[in-house]
Amino acid sequence: MTQTASKMVTQQDAAFDLAHHAVTLAYDALPTAVVQLTKHCVLDTLGVIIGAGKLAPEARTVMDFVKEMEGKPESTLLSFGGRAPAPWAGFANGSLGHMIDYDDRCGGGHPSVTTVPVAFSIAERLGGVSGRELLAAIASGIDIQTRLSLAIPDVEWTMTEGWFATQLLGFQSGAATAGRLLGLNEEQMLNALGIAFTQASGSREMAVGTATHARALQAGFTGQGGIVAALLAAQGITGPKNSLEGRYGLYQVYLHTKPDRDALIGELGTRFSTLDDHCFKAWPACASTRSPVGAVLGLRETNGIRPEEVEEIVVVGGDMHTQLLSEPLESKRHPQTSIDAKYSIPFTVAAAMVNGNVTLGAYTPDCRIDPDVLAMAGRVRHQTVPEERKTSLIPIVEVHTKDGRVFSKAEEFPLGDNENPMTQQQIEAKFRDCVSFSALPVPPENVDRVIDLVDRLETLADATEIIRLLSPG
């Protein structure tokens, strides 16, 4: 017993390892694939932030609120223009980044929206931050959030424990990103991670049934909180050192488990799990709609199914998220807001079958009441499968036609998945589409220039040139 107790006492909390990782990860140590993925994350995230300007009514409310706070004009407020203190810019831009639910996904959460807005807010506050340093900071933050999530043994923990991964873990990834750019040493970074942990939150209650605006604010809170944690640590404020594995640390109190230490801190700096788990969204809806949408589009194209031929579409099985996005059935078939439509498998699958794609326009007020889409949504339902009979968490989509034919498909790797990646051209097209919905127009030549600069971000002496091009005037 004495030996066991000694081991428990002497084992260093994983937060020490992650703090070292955040401080020391060098751009030159990043694999080429990680650099390329991180650049794609930057372009994709900036696009979805800006696109919320016209597509999310609550975006203006958030921006007006932040502008009323006033303070030092350090960092840009994207889409709407103006400047705010870095923490408030992190809040505003992070909030917009999740409003249209088009941001990328990894490890059960959305790591780019918790890191990219933070990085640019701090870079503008500091000035003269190179593209290489920005990429290293974002890559470390994304890696830390991904590891924190993948270390949780229960693959459905966000449902069984009731947390959103983005908010619960995003404070730490935001603090790591900000702290890296601020030049924190290891002790300060450890404190920053501890201060970030003390803000941990993110109950799923904000999106049960009808989604609330608070659902979109997750990365706003983590962005602001992460920046504040790093700034306070830089001034000597301390935080709990054993924030992950301590008696009252993240895993014990919030998740009621012990982490997989290999997933959490194994091969730091050489293994990037993001490469295996990351996906970009090809369609602007909740990530759990991706598999059903991919299946429907595949069946539609391969078999030449016309919408008027469809008798019924049944989404069979899947995970707990699949069921959550399918019930209550009538409200999911007739969503009243854009975000509720994005959280609806019946509506989104119907839009895919009727239109042959799912675009940003599918969730505008006019398209949300499209009679053809609503009629199709009325023919979409979810069929549960008893847990003991499940062989996969990937739902099977069955399209039943009026002449009695049945076509079925389980899309394990929908477009945007690491096994079925979007092309550079598709990512650029998505960025252009998103930016076209900016509250303040961005000139086409600026959009072209930003795409070019992000593609060669590692060569830039001042990465914030990108933000200036996206914020004319």
Side-chain angles (χ1 to χ4, degrees), residues 325-341:
L325 269 61
S326 302
E327 300 174 352
L329 184 58
E330 285 310 306
S331 65
K332 292 300 184 183
R333 285 174 168 172
H334 300 88
Q336 300 302 301
T337 65
S338 174
I339 193 59
D340 284 336

Side-chain angles (χ1 to χ4, degrees), residues 13-14 197 241-253:
D13 192 279
F197 159 70
K241 302 292 191 294
N242 300 320
S243 59
L244 299 181
E245 299 175 286
R247 181 178 180 182
Y248 301 111
L250 175 74
Y251 290 99
Q252 181 66 28
V253 170

Side-chain angles (χ1 to χ4, degrees), residues 44-53 78-79 92-94 96-97 100 113 116-117:
D44 188 74
T45 305
L46 291 175
V48 298
I49 292 170
I50 293 169
L78 290 167
S79 195
N93 295 332
L96 265 66
I100 61 174
V113 79
V116 173

Side-chain angles (χ1 to χ4, degrees), residues 109-111 114 140-149 165-166 169-170 173:
H110 303 270
T114 68
S140 68
I142 289 176
D143 187 45
I144 285 172
Q145 182 169 326
T146 301
R147 285 172 173 273
L148 287 170
S149 181
T166 304
L169 310 178
S173 59

Side-chain angles (χ1 to χ4, degrees), residues 145-220:
Q145 182 169 326
T146 301
R147 285 172 173 273
L148 287 170
S149 181
L150 295 180
I152 302 167
D154 182 359
V155 295
E156 293 207 69
W157 68 270
T158 60
M159 294 295 293
T160 58
E161 297 295 337
W163 299 108
F164 275 110
T166 304
Q167 188 165 341
L168 184 66
L169 310 178
F171 289 98
Q172 285 98 328
S173 59
T177 302
R180 170 58 184 265
L181 291 174
L182 289 168
L184 301 189
N185 61 35
E186 288 188 37
E187 182 179 1
Q188 291 170 324
M189 184 65 80
L190 184 63
N191 284 321
L193 293 177
I195 297 168
F197 159 70
T198 63
Q199 303 172 73
S201 52
S203 166
R204 294 195 69 90
E205 190 61 33
M206 67 182 89
V208 173
T210 301
T212 65
H213 290 146
R215 179 212 62 86
L217 304 184
Q218 295 178 60

Side-chain angles (χ1 to χ4, degrees), residues 88-313:
W88 276 119
F91 173 79
N93 295 332
S95 295
L96 265 66
H98 197 49
M99 282 181 183
I100 61 174
D101 217 326
Y102 210 3
D103 44 323
D104 64 353
R105 188 174 184 274
C106 188
H110 303 270
S112 291
V113 79
T114 68
T115 54
V116 173
V118 167
F120 278 108
S121 293
I122 291 294
E124 287 194 288
R125 173 189 166 103
L126 295 173
V129 172
S130 71
R132 290 164 63 94
E133 188 59 21
L134 190 91
L135 286 167
I138 294 171
S140 68
I142 289 176
D143 187 45
I144 285 172
Q145 182 169 326
T146 301
R147 285 172 173 273
L148 287 170
S149 181
L150 295 180
I152 302 167
D154 182 359
V155 295
E156 293 207 69
W157 68 270
T158 60
M159 294 295 293
T160 58
E161 297 295 337
W163 299 108
F164 275 110
T166 304
Q167 188 165 341
L168 184 66
L169 310 178
F171 289 98
Q172 285 98 328
S173 59
T177 302
R180 170 58 184 265
L181 291 174
L182 289 168
L184 301 189
N185 61 35
E186 288 188 37
E187 182 179 1
Q188 291 170 324
M189 184 65 80
L190 184 63
N191 284 321
L193 293 177
I195 297 168
F197 159 70
T198 63
Q199 303 172 73
S201 52
S203 166
R204 294 195 69 90
E205 190 61 33
M206 67 182 89
V208 173
T210 301
T212 65
H213 290 146
R215 179 212 62 86
L217 304 184
Q218 295 178 60
F221 290 128
T222 64
Q224 182 184 44
I227 291 172
V228 168
L231 291 173
L232 288 174
Q235 295 297 318
I237 299 298
T238 62
K241 302 292 191 294
N242 300 320
S243 59
L244 299 181
E245 299 175 286
R247 181 178 180 182
Y248 301 111
L250 175 74
Y251 290 99
Q252 181 66 28
V253 170
Y254 287 80
L255 299 162
H256 309 106
T257 191
K258 292 183 179 180
D260 177 340
R261 292 196 108 237
D262 179 64
L264 185 58
I265 57 174
E267 300 176 79
L268 283 167
T270 58
R271 184 179 77 205
F272 293 87
S273 300
T274 314
L275 295 175
D276 301 320
D277 195 63
H278 182 275
C279 71
F280 288 108
K281 288 187 179 180
W283 309 293
C286 176
S288 294
T289 67
R290 294 174 62 248
S291 182
V293 167
V296 164
L297 292 176
L299 290 172
R300 189 183 191 275
E301 180 179 0
T302 302
N303 301 287
I305 304 171
R306 300 190 305 274
E308 60 270 21
E309 296 178 305
V310 176
E311 176 70 26
E312 183 180 38
I313 300 175

Side-chain angles (χ1 to χ4, degrees), residues 281-471:
K281 288 187 179 180
W283 309 293
C286 176
S288 294
T289 67
R290 294 174 62 248
S291 182
V293 167
V296 164
L297 292 176
L299 290 172
R300 189 183 191 275
E301 180 179 0
T302 302
N303 301 287
I305 304 171
R306 300 190 305 274
E308 60 270 21
E309 296 178 305
V310 176
E311 176 70 26
E312 183 180 38
I313 300 175
V314 184
V315 180
V316 182
D319 60 12
M320 297 174 72
H321 291 85
T322 310
Q323 186 169 351
L324 181 70
L325 269 61
S326 302
E327 300 174 352
L329 184 58
E330 285 310 306
S331 65
K332 292 300 184 183
R333 285 174 168 172
H334 300 88
Q336 300 302 301
T337 65
S338 174
I339 193 59
D340 284 336
K342 290 167 178 281
Y343 262 64
S344 166
I345 284 178
F347 181 88
T348 300
V349 163
M353 176 55 75
V354 170
N355 300 317
N357 198 6
V358 181
T359 66
L360 286 167
Y363 301 100
T364 59
D366 288 343
C367 291
R368 238 179 19 250
I369 57 173
D370 182 319
D372 292 335
V373 174
L374 290 178
M376 184 65 71
R379 300 198 289 272
V380 181
R381 65 181 176 87
H382 177 248
Q383 179 178 307
T384 58
V385 174
E387 289 297 321
E388 63 272 14
R389 288 174 48 200
K390 280 187 181 180
T391 58
S392 171
L393 294 179
I394 306 299
I396 299 171
V397 174
E398 296 177 351
V399 177
H400 298 247
T401 62
K402 294 175 181 178
D403 61 6
R405 293 175 296 163
V406 179
F407 302 93
S408 65
K409 181 179 178 64
E411 183 57 81
E412 185 176 2
F413 303 116
L415 181 62
D417 192 90
N418 62 299
E419 297 287 343
N420 184 17
M422 294 174 68
T423 65
Q424 176 75 26
Q425 291 71 30
Q426 288 172 323
I427 291 173
E428 291 178 8
K430 175 182 172 180
F431 175 75
R432 293 180 190 279
D433 188 28
C434 287
V435 174
S436 72
F437 290 94
S438 178
L440 294 178
V442 179
E445 59 272 20
N446 286 28
V447 176
D448 293 339
R449 178 71 171 152
V450 166
I451 290 173
D452 173 62
L453 291 181
V454 173
D455 188 50
R456 54 186 183 88
L457 185 52
E458 70 275 16
T459 70
L460 302 187
D462 181 2
T464 61
E465 181 182 353
I466 292 167
I467 302 300
R468 289 190 288 276
L469 287 166
L470 292 172
S471 308

